[in-house]
Amino acid sequence: MLSFLSGAATIVVLAFPFAIGRGYGWLPELYLNTLSSYPYASLNAFNLMALLGGNFVEMSQTVLHMTYQAIGTTLMAASLLYCCYLYIRSKGREGALFYVTFLFITAMFVCTAKMHERYLHYGLLLVLVAYIYLKDKRMLMLFIGFSLTHFINVGDVLLRSFHQDYHIPKDDPLLLVVSALNVLLFIYACMLGWRHFVKPHQLSPQQGQSPLQRDLDGLVESTGTTKSTESIGSAESTNSTESTNSAESRVQAPNIRFKSWTSIFEPSIEEKAFADKRRLFTGKDVLYLGALIVVYTFIALYHLGGHQDPATFWKPARSGEAIIADLGAEHQITRINSFAGVGEGAYSYWFSKDGQAWEHQIAVKSDHTQVFTWHTEEPKVQARYVKIAIDAQESAALHLHEVGIFGEESSTILPVQEVIEEQINTEDEGNGASLFDEPQVVPYKPTYMEGSYFDEIYHARTAYEHLHKIEPYESTHPPLGKILISIGIWLFGLNPFGWRIIGTLFGVGMIPIMYVFAKRMFGKSEYAFIAAFLLTFDFMHFAQTRIATIDVYGVFFIMLMFYFMYRYTTRSFYRDGLWKTLIPLGLSGLFFGIGAASKWIVIYGGAGLALLLFLTLLERYREYRLAKRVLNEAYEPDTSLHEHTASLDHGSGGEEADQALTNARQPETALTDNTIPPREFLTEEQRRRLQNVIRQFPRYTISTLLYCLLTFVLIPVVIYTLSYIPFMMVPGPGHGLKDVVTYQVHMYKYHKDLVATHPFSSPWWEWPMMIRPIWYYQGKLMPPGMLSSIVSFGNPLIWWPGFIAVIVSIYVAAKRLDKKLVVLLIAYGSQYLPWMLVPRLTFIYHYFAMVPFMVLLLTYYIKGYLEESESPHKRKWVSGYLVGVFILFALFYPILSGMVIPSAYSYYLRWLPGWNFSKRSKVTESITKQKTPSCALLHTAESFVRFTVSESPLRACIPLLPHTFRKQTQSDHLCRYTTGRPRRKRRAPGSRYRSTARHPQGHPESHRSPDLLKMSGVHRS
């Protein structure tokens, strides 16, 4: 009370000179007026509000279905209660008040609204004073951490102000990264306060570790990595509290040497655990894995795609040809659906009542975005005759498969009584009657079930072209992925199910790979089930494997090549023989080659494989060096054995000493005692093995490197070249081995020089936080209030904690050099780090290759949590976590699968501002609220956006758009994005590659890739 009164008196005294003539309430009024002048969630403060997209966003805006103001008020109240509770539990402990005050001030900055960048400053000195009293180095680390983030925050604002830039963009990468760091530091500060004042018994020090190290090490202290032969370095005893870091270094050095000694004489824990192959896969594993596969296969195949699409087609040879459909009587024609195959061209619909006078022309441009999709026109005219006239044909001529005519607002197709041909060329393939011979496959309301969407217009098309020896349209990726897609088309026909089924089966195949990977790595069926379960119900795994693109194949083979490389790292050619180590190494190289022939992202992983190979050979070299030292006695032997036997000799008698010497000569005794016997105590078997190590290392190392040259270079090159066989089988010149090499140069230049923008693109730093998912499909012709969408991003309960696990693992792996963490981090980093250097347009689906390794890292810490102590409550928490993962998958399943749902449902799934899954986007909301009559929110520097949404409020803003926007009629999507890029001239069959057209920014356009679609138009069926 005295402190409160003295504080109040200080405020009164200092404010009195300014209050003269203003009345008693001027100070509270001043504070309230100041607060009301900043109605924003964050004002350049790098905090939680900024992380949620609230920088200079009004507090009335919603995120996670709550307004920013409500979130801030709730968290402020919770922080106040938590700080009061901590202070009460501290029981007046010296220094507690400083720490609790720091925590509350920090909570205000991190969690509440209306914060400026400078408001974190007030709490920093308090945590420094708390450190002086409580003497916990973790508080000093908090001071350093928050000081750095505060310096970056204030410095960024200051530098921008020099250029009159006072509002940091809400998607600025520096803002997002530092905001995330501040949130993590605050969470850690709350945990530290709990341990100090609520459960102080958790602060018992461990030998040779700082408090911060203890906290991080506690995450994995039960995984067994510090006491197993899988760890380079070992955990010391926790009984003594007086050891120093220097003592720890003295203890670790002989343990590193002991690790090498053990590796020579004993197999790894993983190899010993599964020496009996029946233990690797038991009846329990069959049950766990079989249940996951059955459940996921059913979910993945359900509504994967239709089994029927038009098979016959008409391919007119030139423009001017026409087909007339006689309906037998006049009808009110309300809808015409047409299905286009490969090729590009243009045609028009003409209508007539008597077959003589033609009117009401509707022109249709069938370009690359229309391949294998149903195009809908709604003419609303009265006619008996419908003419389809070819207006233009590109070098790759249009294949028109089927036309369905509907009348009188009925979903029943009108029968064609007669087909009349006009100016037909004899070089045509098929005939006009083919357009009307499969009416049973014509849908009234086309969806993704009947046609292609997203990059399927490239990859499914190219797969079909490979199958029929047609010049491939898409050539900016290796062909093997498209060849695998073509297998499904060959088996099931040209239909959505046919071009999607193989990728979906590969997605199913990822589950047993993950299960076996985790079983090998963690040893128990339960942990293998957890890892496979997390991958099974990850959103991106589901969405990416149900679309006919090539990413699934690359990720599949990335998982296999790192699995076999991990197997190699657990073997030693000293113990297991050279041949047994070369088998997994060769399989890793084989799958590396197959993956590289599917997509170039696999080559990124090749750097990770090379690093793991180097580290493994480095282990063998350490063992080789140790063997030489032991046999030559050129090392410092462990004197504990001599001291122990000497003490026994001077003690009760010589029997115990003799027994000690006998035990020392037994390899298993020496190993369990963590000692390396000196030369005089080596057995003949130990001498023989050490001599073998010295003799074998040079020869086996050279053999391994030569073998890698074969399996990681020569065989992949052969596989890669063989994948171009379908291309080389295309008739005509320009398809030889030399042209294959030319294609590689073209592919590299394309990805290197690509300059494009897209509203759903996202840079690499946004992927783990899922700031901007990619929207693949938006159905049209939906009933009022209903929608159908397909979106790809991650399960929040997997990606968010998984990324934290990645960050923590960097510290833990650096400190302990745990082989499992090293393998997983190298696999993860080899796929992620290259994207930081890629200047081209990127999307969140590029993160798919990192997801399996993030899942394994998450499983690593779940294992450590469960094994920390035998508690049934922990198993319940883990079970609850898995149930939560499945519940989220079920909640988001409708927007992952294209299910038709009420539009309002998707709004409740919009947890972050960038999660737009329906027509009710920010643009729609701004129009309906009449805040701005513009679609400029989706306008980017290099792409203009034109919305053509039937029965949507967006139609109201179309007349207001600039004339530079080009209208795209009857899109199958919410929007189509177009730019005025020059058209590329398609390479004629048999001609040699020549880049004749170039983008204004300079990238070649001779063969458009999937990403050019993202720049020129997001067409989805």
Side-chain angles (χ1 to χ4, degrees), residues 676-810:
I676 301 175
R679 181 176 180 179
E680 58 266 25
F681 294 121
L682 292 176
T683 65
E684 289 300 321
E685 175 64 19
Q686 289 174 331
R687 288 176 181 272
R688 186 185 63 81
R689 291 196 183 185
L690 292 175
Q691 290 170 353
N692 285 340
V693 168
I694 297 173
R695 185 177 63 256
Q696 292 170 350
F697 173 75
R699 178 161 49 93
Y700 283 2
T701 300
I702 294 174
S703 299
T704 299
L705 293 176
L706 292 175
Y707 184 74
C708 289
L709 184 64
L710 171 68
T711 56
F712 286 91
V713 179
L714 297 181
I715 291 179
V717 168
V718 171
I719 294 173
Y720 194 92
T721 304
L722 292 177
S723 69
Y724 276 88
I725 288 178
F727 165 77
M728 291 187 282
M729 292 177 66
V730 175
H735 301 94
L737 198 58
K738 180 180 179 181
D739 300 282
V740 172
V741 177
T742 303
Y743 262 54
Q744 311 316 305
V745 177
H746 161 56
M747 289 164 59
Y748 171 76
K749 288 183 177 180
Y750 166 76
H751 292 290
K752 175 179 175 291
D753 299 332
L754 175 64
V755 177
T757 58
H758 186 275
F760 293 110
S761 66
S762 56
W764 58 269
W765 58 79
E766 292 184 353
W767 300 342
M769 294 176 283
M770 300 182 294
I771 293 175
R772 188 176 291 108
I774 185 165
W775 194 2
Y776 282 154
Y777 166 80
Q778 174 72 42
K780 74 165 188 174
L781 302 175
M782 291 290 108
M786 306 296 287
L787 67 88
S788 172
S789 288
I790 297 179
V791 183
S792 182
F793 63 118
N795 189 318
L797 282 179
I798 298 174
W799 281 35
W800 289 341
F803 187 62
I804 294 175
V806 172
I807 296 174
V808 171
S809 296
I810 296 173

Side-chain angles (χ1 to χ4, degrees), residues 607-891:
L609 297 177
L611 181 56
L612 289 174
L613 174 67
F614 170 77
L615 293 177
T616 303
L617 292 179
L618 182 61
E619 284 188 49
R620 303 292 84 82
Y621 171 72
R622 286 174 178 168
E623 295 160 10
Y624 162 76
R625 187 175 59 178
L626 177 64
K628 291 183 65 176
R629 288 181 176 179
V630 170
L631 291 180
N632 298 330
E633 292 188 343
Y635 80 111
E636 298 177 5
D638 193 325
T639 60
S640 61
L641 182 61
H642 297 283
E643 294 172 356
H644 179 56
T645 55
S647 65
L648 291 176
D649 286 338
H650 293 290
S652 59
E655 294 183 1
E656 292 186 30
D658 292 339
Q659 184 63 39
L661 292 173
T662 303
N663 290 340
R665 292 188 175 97
Q666 303 300 320
E668 63 273 10
T669 305
L671 295 177
T672 55
D673 288 341
N674 275 29
T675 60
I676 301 175
R679 181 176 180 179
E680 58 266 25
F681 294 121
L682 292 176
T683 65
E684 289 300 321
E685 175 64 19
Q686 289 174 331
R687 288 176 181 272
R688 186 185 63 81
R689 291 196 183 185
L690 292 175
Q691 290 170 353
N692 285 340
V693 168
I694 297 173
R695 185 177 63 256
Q696 292 170 350
F697 173 75
R699 178 161 49 93
Y700 283 2
T701 300
I702 294 174
S703 299
T704 299
L705 293 176
L706 292 175
Y707 184 74
C708 289
L709 184 64
L710 171 68
T711 56
F712 286 91
V713 179
L714 297 181
I715 291 179
V717 168
V718 171
I719 294 173
Y720 194 92
T721 304
L722 292 177
S723 69
Y724 276 88
I725 288 178
F727 165 77
M728 291 187 282
M729 292 177 66
V730 175
H735 301 94
L737 198 58
K738 180 180 179 181
D739 300 282
V740 172
V741 177
T742 303
Y743 262 54
Q744 311 316 305
V745 177
H746 161 56
M747 289 164 59
Y748 171 76
K749 288 183 177 180
Y750 166 76
H751 292 290
K752 175 179 175 291
D753 299 332
L754 175 64
V755 177
T757 58
H758 186 275
F760 293 110
S761 66
S762 56
W764 58 269
W765 58 79
E766 292 184 353
W767 300 342
M769 294 176 283
M770 300 182 294
I771 293 175
R772 188 176 291 108
I774 185 165
W775 194 2
Y776 282 154
Y777 166 80
Q778 174 72 42
K780 74 165 188 174
L781 302 175
M782 291 290 108
M786 306 296 287
L787 67 88
S788 172
S789 288
I790 297 179
V791 183
S792 182
F793 63 118
N795 189 318
L797 282 179
I798 298 174
W799 281 35
W800 289 341
F803 187 62
I804 294 175
V806 172
I807 296 174
V808 171
S809 296
I810 296 173
Y811 167 79
V812 177
K815 182 178 183 298
R816 302 191 177 192
L817 295 180
D818 180 87
K819 182 176 293 183
K820 297 180 178 66
L821 286 182
V822 169
V823 170
L824 295 177
L825 282 176
I826 289 176
Y828 179 93
S830 66
Q831 292 299 138
Y832 194 23
L833 295 178
W835 289 107
M836 301 179 185
L837 307 176
V838 173
R840 52 152 286 177
L841 192 73
T842 56
F843 297 84
I844 193 173
Y845 66 74
H846 290 133
Y847 195 67
F848 187 27
M850 285 69 88
V851 172
F853 309 109
M854 183 174 63
V855 165
L856 286 170
L857 285 169
L858 194 56
T859 307
Y860 178 94
Y861 291 103
I862 292 175
K863 174 181 182 289
Y865 172 74
L866 289 174
E867 293 183 351
E868 184 179 6
S869 62
E870 294 295 333
S871 172
H873 297 292
K874 290 189 174 183
R875 290 190 171 274
K876 291 180 180 178
W877 279 110
V878 173
S879 299
Y881 168 69
L882 296 180
V883 170
V885 168
F886 178 77
I887 289 175
L888 280 189
F889 180 83
L891 290 175

Side-chain angles (χ1 to χ4, degrees), residues 8 43 112 126 167 191 233 254 286-287 346 357 554 585 670 672 710 740 826 886:
L43 296 97
T112 60
L126 294 172
H167 293 181
M191 295 169 56
V286 174
L287 178 62
L585 190 63
T672 55
L710 171 68
V740 172
I826 289 176
F886 178 77

Side-chain angles (χ1 to χ4, degrees), residues 245 337 345 356 405 415 531 678 694 757 829 851 856 905 924 960 968 996:
N245 289 332
N337 290 338
Q356 302 297 322
I405 304 172
I694 297 173
T757 58
V851 172
L856 286 170
Y905 181 82
T924 311
L960 302 175
Q968 301 291 319
T996 56

Side-chain angles (χ1 to χ4, degrees), residues 495-512:
N495 54 69
F497 183 85
W499 61 65
R500 293 173 191 154
I501 180 60
I502 300 299
T504 303
L505 293 179
F506 268 72
V508 174
M510 289 180 181
I511 299 174

